[in-house]
mmCIF file of all heavy atoms in Angstrom:
data_model
loop_
_atom_site.group_PDB
_atom_site.id
_atom_site.type_symbol
_atom_site.label_atom_id
_atom_site.label_comp_id
_atom_site.label_asym_id
_atom_site.label_seq_id
_atom_site.Cartn_x
_atom_site.Cartn_y
_atom_site.Cartn_z
ATOM 1 N N LEU Y 109 11.998 3.248 14.818
ATOM 2 C CA LEU Y 109 12.853 3.944 13.837
ATOM 3 C C LEU Y 109 13.345 2.993 12.777
ATOM 4 O O LEU Y 109 13.360 3.411 11.601
ATOM 5 C CB LEU Y 109 14.031 4.588 14.622
ATOM 6 C CG LEU Y 109 13.664 5.768 15.500
ATOM 7 C CD1 LEU Y 109 14.937 6.236 16.202
ATOM 8 C CD2 LEU Y 109 13.001 6.884 14.696
ATOM 9 N N HIS Y 110 13.777 1.776 13.138
ATOM 10 C CA HIS Y 110 14.248 0.803 12.120
ATOM 11 C C HIS Y 110 15.182 1.442 11.119
ATOM 12 O O HIS Y 110 15.018 1.294 9.925
ATOM 13 C CB HIS Y 110 13.059 0.173 11.415
ATOM 14 C CG HIS Y 110 12.331 -0.810 12.341
ATOM 15 N ND1 HIS Y 110 12.808 -2.096 12.535
ATOM 16 C CD2 HIS Y 110 11.152 -0.660 13.016
ATOM 17 C CE1 HIS Y 110 11.922 -2.696 13.369
ATOM 18 N NE2 HIS Y 110 10.958 -1.894 13.654
ATOM 19 N N GLY Y 111 16.131 2.164 11.598
ATOM 20 C CA GLY Y 111 17.179 2.756 10.705
ATOM 21 C C GLY Y 111 17.003 4.270 10.542
ATOM 22 O O GLY Y 111 17.997 4.932 10.202
ATOM 23 N N PHE Y 112 15.810 4.786 10.663
ATOM 24 C CA PHE Y 112 15.610 6.234 10.594
ATOM 25 C C PHE Y 112 16.348 6.862 11.779
ATOM 26 O O PHE Y 112 16.350 6.332 12.906
ATOM 27 C CB PHE Y 112 14.173 6.571 10.626
ATOM 28 C CG PHE Y 112 13.383 6.313 9.313
ATOM 29 C CD1 PHE Y 112 12.591 5.197 9.276
ATOM 30 C CD2 PHE Y 112 13.652 7.088 8.191
ATOM 31 C CE1 PHE Y 112 11.876 4.919 8.131
ATOM 32 C CE2 PHE Y 112 12.932 6.787 7.042
ATOM 33 C CZ PHE Y 112 12.049 5.686 6.966
ATOM 34 N N GLN Y 113 16.887 8.067 11.571
ATOM 35 C CA GLN Y 113 17.598 8.772 12.651
ATOM 36 C C GLN Y 113 16.613 9.553 13.538
ATOM 37 O O GLN Y 113 16.886 9.766 14.696
ATOM 38 C CB GLN Y 113 18.633 9.678 12.092
ATOM 39 C CG GLN Y 113 19.827 9.008 11.540
ATOM 40 C CD GLN Y 113 20.570 9.733 10.503
ATOM 41 O OE1 GLN Y 113 20.092 9.944 9.420
ATOM 42 N NE2 GLN Y 113 21.772 10.170 10.788
ATOM 43 N N GLN Y 114 15.400 9.850 12.981
ATOM 44 C CA GLN Y 114 14.412 10.564 13.814
ATOM 45 C C GLN Y 114 13.041 10.383 13.185
ATOM 46 O O GLN Y 114 12.899 10.226 11.966
ATOM 47 C CB GLN Y 114 14.731 12.020 13.944
ATOM 48 C CG GLN Y 114 14.994 12.772 12.654
ATOM 49 C CD GLN Y 114 15.382 14.179 12.878
ATOM 50 O OE1 GLN Y 114 14.899 14.866 13.824
ATOM 51 N NE2 GLN Y 114 16.155 14.715 11.972
ATOM 52 N N GLN Y 115 12.081 10.330 14.075
ATOM 53 C CA GLN Y 115 10.636 10.410 13.672
ATOM 54 C C GLN Y 115 10.215 11.865 13.999
ATOM 55 O O GLN Y 115 10.190 12.267 15.153
ATOM 56 C CB GLN Y 115 9.832 9.385 14.496
ATOM 57 C CG GLN Y 115 8.269 9.622 14.503
ATOM 58 C CD GLN Y 115 7.623 9.472 13.166
ATOM 59 O OE1 GLN Y 115 7.556 10.452 12.390
ATOM 60 N NE2 GLN Y 115 6.975 8.326 12.875
ATOM 61 N N LEU Y 116 9.850 12.610 13.004
ATOM 62 C CA LEU Y 116 9.588 14.017 13.134
ATOM 63 C C LEU Y 116 8.157 14.300 13.684
ATOM 64 O O LEU Y 116 7.908 15.315 14.295
ATOM 65 C CB LEU Y 116 9.752 14.769 11.808
ATOM 66 C CG LEU Y 116 11.079 14.604 11.077
ATOM 67 C CD1 LEU Y 116 10.998 15.306 9.743
ATOM 68 C CD2 LEU Y 116 12.180 15.211 11.983
ATOM 69 N N ALA Y 117 7.243 13.330 13.429
ATOM 70 C CA ALA Y 117 5.855 13.588 13.840
ATOM 71 C C ALA Y 117 5.309 12.506 14.733
ATOM 72 O O ALA Y 117 5.884 12.191 15.782
ATOM 73 C CB ALA Y 117 5.035 13.784 12.564
ATOM 74 N N ARG Y 118 4.232 11.820 14.274
ATOM 75 C CA ARG Y 118 3.552 10.851 15.098
ATOM 76 C C ARG Y 118 3.063 9.729 14.176
ATOM 77 O O ARG Y 118 2.566 10.028 13.090
ATOM 78 C CB ARG Y 118 2.404 11.584 15.769
ATOM 79 C CG ARG Y 118 1.583 10.634 16.700
ATOM 80 C CD ARG Y 118 0.411 11.484 17.244
ATOM 81 N NE ARG Y 118 -0.518 10.618 18.006
ATOM 82 C CZ ARG Y 118 -1.759 10.922 18.322
ATOM 83 N NH1 ARG Y 118 -2.244 12.156 17.985
ATOM 84 N NH2 ARG Y 118 -2.511 10.070 19.019
ATOM 85 N N ASP Y 119 3.132 8.453 14.657
ATOM 86 C CA ASP Y 119 2.644 7.310 13.921
ATOM 87 C C ASP Y 119 1.367 6.775 14.635
ATOM 88 O O ASP Y 119 1.462 5.911 15.520
ATOM 89 C CB ASP Y 119 3.697 6.289 13.827
ATOM 90 C CG ASP Y 119 3.365 5.143 12.835
ATOM 91 O OD1 ASP Y 119 2.133 4.957 12.590
ATOM 92 O OD2 ASP Y 119 4.258 4.454 12.361
ATOM 93 N N LEU Y 120 0.232 7.332 14.328
ATOM 94 C CA LEU Y 120 -0.983 6.968 14.992
ATOM 95 C C LEU Y 120 -1.268 5.536 14.893
ATOM 96 O O LEU Y 120 -1.727 4.914 15.969
ATOM 97 C CB LEU Y 120 -2.158 7.764 14.394
ATOM 98 C CG LEU Y 120 -3.550 7.512 14.988
ATOM 99 C CD1 LEU Y 120 -3.645 7.990 16.415
ATOM 100 C CD2 LEU Y 120 -4.617 8.260 14.138
ATOM 101 N N HIS Y 121 -1.134 4.923 13.808
ATOM 102 C CA HIS Y 121 -1.512 3.504 13.667
ATOM 103 C C HIS Y 121 -0.554 2.584 14.394
ATOM 104 O O HIS Y 121 -0.919 1.397 14.732
ATOM 105 C CB HIS Y 121 -1.603 3.142 12.173
ATOM 106 C CG HIS Y 121 -2.844 3.687 11.532
ATOM 107 N ND1 HIS Y 121 -3.166 3.475 10.249
ATOM 108 C CD2 HIS Y 121 -3.842 4.527 11.981
ATOM 109 C CE1 HIS Y 121 -4.285 4.120 9.944
ATOM 110 N NE2 HIS Y 121 -4.719 4.737 10.990
ATOM 111 N N ALA Y 122 0.699 3.021 14.572
ATOM 112 C CA ALA Y 122 1.639 2.222 15.430
ATOM 113 C C ALA Y 122 1.239 2.286 16.928
ATOM 114 O O ALA Y 122 1.500 1.404 17.703
ATOM 115 C CB ALA Y 122 3.006 2.710 15.283
ATOM 116 N N GLU Y 123 0.571 3.398 17.327
ATOM 117 C CA GLU Y 123 0.114 3.591 18.667
ATOM 118 C C GLU Y 123 -1.148 2.696 19.017
ATOM 119 O O GLU Y 123 -1.308 2.358 20.173
ATOM 120 C CB GLU Y 123 -0.235 5.055 18.926
ATOM 121 C CG GLU Y 123 0.938 6.016 18.752
ATOM 122 C CD GLU Y 123 0.435 7.436 18.780
ATOM 123 O OE1 GLU Y 123 -0.754 7.681 19.133
ATOM 124 O OE2 GLU Y 123 1.222 8.360 18.423
ATOM 125 N N ARG Y 124 -1.942 2.442 18.012
ATOM 126 C CA ARG Y 124 -3.209 1.792 18.256
ATOM 127 C C ARG Y 124 -3.110 0.292 18.444
ATOM 128 O O ARG Y 124 -2.300 -0.391 17.855
ATOM 129 C CB ARG Y 124 -4.161 2.151 17.079
ATOM 130 C CG ARG Y 124 -4.664 3.579 17.171
ATOM 131 C CD ARG Y 124 -5.684 3.909 16.109
ATOM 132 N NE ARG Y 124 -6.198 5.266 16.358
ATOM 133 C CZ ARG Y 124 -6.983 5.924 15.462
ATOM 134 N NH1 ARG Y 124 -7.295 5.289 14.310
ATOM 135 N NH2 ARG Y 124 -7.486 7.101 15.787
ATOM 136 N N TYR Y 125 -4.111 -0.216 19.227
ATOM 137 C CA TYR Y 125 -4.196 -1.638 19.441
ATOM 138 C C TYR Y 125 -4.820 -2.310 18.155
ATOM 139 O O TYR Y 125 -5.793 -1.769 17.605
ATOM 140 C CB TYR Y 125 -5.063 -1.910 20.644
ATOM 141 C CG TYR Y 125 -5.422 -3.355 20.832
ATOM 142 C CD1 TYR Y 125 -4.525 -4.243 21.424
ATOM 143 C CD2 TYR Y 125 -6.711 -3.841 20.432
ATOM 144 C CE1 TYR Y 125 -4.830 -5.589 21.548
ATOM 145 C CE2 TYR Y 125 -6.993 -5.179 20.592
ATOM 146 C CZ TYR Y 125 -6.084 -6.002 21.183
ATOM 147 O OH TYR Y 125 -6.388 -7.354 21.310
#
Side-chain angles (χ1 to χ4, degrees):
L109 293 176
H110 287 282
F112 288 105
Q113 286 155 294
Q114 53 183 327
Q115 162 66 279
L116 304 174
R118 180 184 173 197
D119 190 339
L120 178 66
H121 287 180
E123 298 171 9
R124 286 185 171 170
Y125 171 79

